[in-house]
Coordinates of all heavy atoms in Angstrom, one line a residue:
H88 N -17.9 40.6 -6.7 CA -17.6 39.8 -7.9 C -16.4 40.3 -8.8 O -16.2 39.9 -9.9 CB -18.8 39.7 -8.8 CG -20.1 39.3 -8.2 ND1 -21.3 39.2 -8.8 CD2 -20.3 39.0 -6.9 CE1 -22.2 38.8 -8.0 NE2 -21.7 38.7 -6.8
D89 N -15.7 41.3 -8.2 CA -14.6 41.9 -9.0 C -13.3 41.9 -8.2 O -12.4 42.7 -8.5 CB -14.9 43.3 -9.5 CG -15.2 44.2 -8.4 OD1 -15.2 43.9 -7.2 OD2 -15.5 45.4 -8.7
G90 N -13.2 41.1 -7.1 CA -12.1 41.1 -6.2 C -12.2 42.1 -5.1 O -11.3 42.2 -4.2
T91 N -13.3 42.8 -5.0 CA -13.5 43.8 -3.9 C -14.7 43.4 -3.1 O -15.6 42.7 -3.6 CB -13.6 45.2 -4.4 OG1 -14.8 45.4 -5.2 CG2 -12.4 45.6 -5.3
F92 N -14.9 44.0 -1.9 CA -16.0 43.8 -1.0 C -16.6 45.2 -0.6 O -15.8 46.1 -0.5 CB -15.6 43.0 0.2 CG -15.2 41.6 -0.1 CD1 -13.9 41.3 -0.7 CD2 -16.1 40.5 0.1 CE1 -13.6 40.0 -0.9 CE2 -15.7 39.2 -0.2 CZ -14.5 38.9 -0.7
T93 N -17.8 45.1 -0.2 CA -18.5 46.3 0.4 C -19.0 46.0 1.7 O -19.6 45.0 2.0 CB -19.7 46.8 -0.5 OG1 -19.2 47.1 -1.8 CG2 -20.4 47.9 0.1
D94 N -18.7 46.9 2.7 CA -19.2 46.7 4.1 C -20.7 46.9 4.1 O -21.1 48.1 3.9 CB -18.4 47.7 5.0 CG -18.7 47.4 6.5 OD1 -19.7 46.8 6.8 OD2 -17.8 47.9 7.3
I95 N -21.4 45.9 4.5 CA -22.9 46.0 4.6 C -23.4 45.7 6.0 O -24.5 45.3 6.2 CB -23.6 45.1 3.5 CG1 -23.2 43.6 3.8 CG2 -23.3 45.5 2.1 CD1 -24.1 42.6 3.0
T96 N -22.5 45.9 7.0 CA -22.8 45.5 8.3 C -24.0 46.3 8.9 O -24.9 45.8 9.5 CB -21.6 45.8 9.2 OG1 -20.4 45.2 8.7 CG2 -21.8 45.3 10.6
A97 N -24.0 47.6 8.7 CA -25.0 48.5 9.2 C -26.4 48.1 8.7 O -26.6 48.0 7.5 CB -24.7 50.0 8.8
G98 N -27.3 47.8 9.6 CA -28.6 47.4 9.3 C -28.8 45.9 8.9 O -29.9 45.5 8.5
S99 N -27.7 45.2 8.9 CA -27.7 43.8 8.5 C -28.4 42.9 9.6 O -28.8 41.7 9.2 CB -26.3 43.2 8.2 OG -25.6 43.2 9.4
G100 N -28.5 43.3 10.8 CA -29.0 42.5 11.9 C -27.8 41.8 12.6 O -28.0 41.3 13.8
L101 N -26.7 41.7 12.0 CA -25.5 41.2 12.7 C -24.7 42.3 13.4 O -23.7 42.0 14.1 CB -24.6 40.5 11.6 CG -25.2 39.4 10.8 CD1 -24.2 38.9 9.8 CD2 -25.5 38.2 11.8
D102 N -25.2 43.5 13.3 CA -24.4 44.6 13.9 C -24.8 44.9 15.4 O -25.2 46.0 15.7 CB -24.7 45.9 13.1 CG -26.1 46.2 12.8 OD1 -27.0 45.3 13.0 OD2 -26.4 47.3 12.4
I103 N -24.8 43.8 16.2 CA -25.1 44.0 17.6 C -23.8 43.9 18.4 O -22.9 43.2 17.9 CB -26.1 43.0 18.1 CG1 -25.6 41.6 18.0 CG2 -27.4 43.1 17.3 CD1 -26.5 40.5 18.7
E104 N -23.7 44.5 19.5 CA -22.5 44.5 20.3 C -22.5 43.4 21.3 O -23.2 43.4 22.3 CB -22.4 45.9 21.0 CG -21.0 46.1 21.6 CD -20.8 47.5 22.1 OE1 -21.8 48.2 22.4 OE2 -19.6 47.9 22.3
I105 N -21.6 42.4 21.0 CA -21.4 41.3 21.9 C -19.9 41.0 21.9 O -19.2 41.4 21.1 CB -22.2 40.0 21.4 CG1 -21.8 39.6 20.0 CG2 -23.7 40.2 21.5 CD1 -22.4 38.3 19.5
H106 N -19.5 40.2 22.9 CA -18.1 39.8 22.9 C -18.0 38.4 22.2 O -18.1 37.4 22.8 CB -17.5 39.6 24.3 CG -16.0 39.6 24.3 ND1 -15.3 40.7 24.7 CD2 -15.1 38.6 23.9 CE1 -14.0 40.4 24.6 NE2 -13.9 39.1 24.1
G107 N -18.0 38.5 20.8 CA -18.1 37.4 20.0 C -16.8 36.6 20.0 O -15.7 37.1 20.2
M108 N -17.0 35.3 19.7 CA -15.8 34.4 19.7 C -15.8 33.6 18.4 O -15.0 33.8 17.5 CB -15.9 33.4 20.9 CG -15.6 34.0 22.2 SD -13.9 34.7 22.4 CE -13.0 33.2 22.3
G109 N -16.7 32.6 18.2 CA -16.7 31.8 17.0 C -17.9 31.9 16.2 O -18.9 32.6 16.5
V110 N -17.9 31.3 15.0 CA -19.0 31.4 14.0 C -19.1 30.0 13.3 O -18.1 29.4 13.0 CB -18.8 32.5 13.0 CG1 -17.5 32.4 12.3 CG2 -20.0 32.6 12.0
A111 N -20.4 29.6 13.1 CA -20.7 28.4 12.3 C -21.8 28.7 11.4 O -22.8 29.3 11.9 CB -21.0 27.2 13.2
I112 N -21.8 28.2 10.2 CA -22.7 28.6 9.2 C -23.5 27.3 8.7 O -22.8 26.3 8.4 CB -22.1 29.2 7.9 CG1 -21.2 30.4 8.4 CG2 -23.1 29.6 6.9 CD1 -22.0 31.6 8.9
A113 N -24.8 27.4 8.6 CA -25.6 26.3 7.9 C -27.0 26.8 7.8 O -27.5 27.7 8.5 CB -25.6 25.0 8.8
D114 N -27.7 26.2 6.9 CA -29.1 26.5 6.6 C -29.9 25.5 7.5 O -30.4 24.5 7.1 CB -29.5 26.2 5.2 CG -30.9 26.5 4.8 OD1 -31.7 26.9 5.7 OD2 -31.3 26.2 3.6
Y115 N -30.2 26.0 8.8 CA -30.7 25.1 9.8 C -32.2 24.8 9.6 O -32.7 23.8 10.1 CB -30.5 25.7 11.2 CG -31.4 26.8 11.6 CD1 -32.7 26.7 12.1 CD2 -30.9 28.1 11.5 CE1 -33.5 27.8 12.4 CE2 -31.7 29.2 11.8 CZ -33.0 29.0 12.3 OH -33.7 30.1 12.6
D116 N -32.9 25.7 8.8 CA -34.3 25.4 8.6 C -34.6 25.0 7.1 O -35.8 25.0 6.7 CB -35.2 26.6 9.0 CG -34.8 27.9 8.2 OD1 -33.7 27.9 7.5 OD2 -35.5 28.9 8.4
N117 N -33.6 24.7 6.3 CA -33.8 24.2 5.0 C -34.6 25.2 4.1 O -35.4 24.7 3.2 CB -34.3 22.8 5.0 CG -33.4 21.8 5.6 OD1 -32.2 21.9 5.5 ND2 -34.0 20.8 6.2
D118 N -34.4 26.5 4.2 CA -35.2 27.4 3.4 C -34.3 27.9 2.2 O -34.8 28.8 1.5 CB -35.7 28.6 4.2 CG -34.6 29.5 4.8 OD1 -33.4 29.1 4.7 OD2 -35.0 30.5 5.4
G119 N -33.1 27.4 2.1 CA -32.3 27.8 0.9 C -31.4 29.0 1.2 O -30.6 29.4 0.4
R120 N -31.3 29.5 2.5 CA -30.5 30.6 2.9 C -29.6 30.2 4.1 O -30.2 29.6 5.0 CB -31.3 31.8 3.2 CG -32.0 32.4 2.0 CD -32.7 33.7 2.4 NE -33.7 33.5 3.4 CZ -35.0 33.4 3.2 NH1 -35.5 33.3 1.9 NH2 -35.9 33.2 4.1
D121 N -28.3 30.5 4.1 CA -27.4 30.0 5.1 C -27.5 31.0 6.3 O -27.5 32.2 6.2 CB -26.0 30.0 4.6 CG -25.7 28.7 3.9 OD1 -26.4 27.7 4.2 OD2 -24.8 28.7 3.0
D122 N -27.7 30.4 7.5 CA -27.9 31.1 8.7 C -26.6 31.2 9.5 O -25.6 30.4 9.2 CB -29.0 30.5 9.6 CG -30.3 30.2 8.7 OD1 -30.8 31.2 8.3 OD2 -30.7 29.1 8.5
V123 N -26.6 32.0 10.6 CA -25.3 32.3 11.3 C -25.5 32.0 12.8 O -26.4 32.5 13.4 CB -24.9 33.7 11.1 CG1 -23.6 34.1 11.8 CG2 -24.7 34.0 9.6
Y124 N -24.6 31.2 13.3 CA -24.5 31.0 14.8 C -23.2 31.6 15.3 O -22.1 31.3 14.7 CB -24.6 29.5 15.1 CG -24.7 29.3 16.6 CD1 -25.9 29.4 17.3 CD2 -23.5 29.0 17.4 CE1 -26.0 29.1 18.7 CE2 -23.6 28.7 18.7 CZ -24.8 28.8 19.4 OH -24.9 28.6 20.7
V125 N -23.3 32.5 16.3 CA -22.1 33.1 16.8 C -22.0 32.8 18.3 O -22.9 33.0 19.1 CB -22.2 34.7 16.7 CG1 -21.0 35.4 17.3 CG2 -22.3 35.1 15.2

Side-chain angles (χ1 to χ4, degrees):
H88 311 179
D89 60 1
T91 69
F92 292 79
T93 298
D94 189 337
I95 60 169
T96 311
S99 67
L101 300 175
D102 53 340
I103 65 172
E104 193 172 20
I105 57 176
H106 197 104
M108 292 293 298
V110 56
I112 306 294
D114 180 2
Y115 73 84
D116 58 351
N117 294 330
D118 66 353
R120 297 185 294 266
D121 279 334
D122 310 298
V123 178
Y124 186 82
V125 178

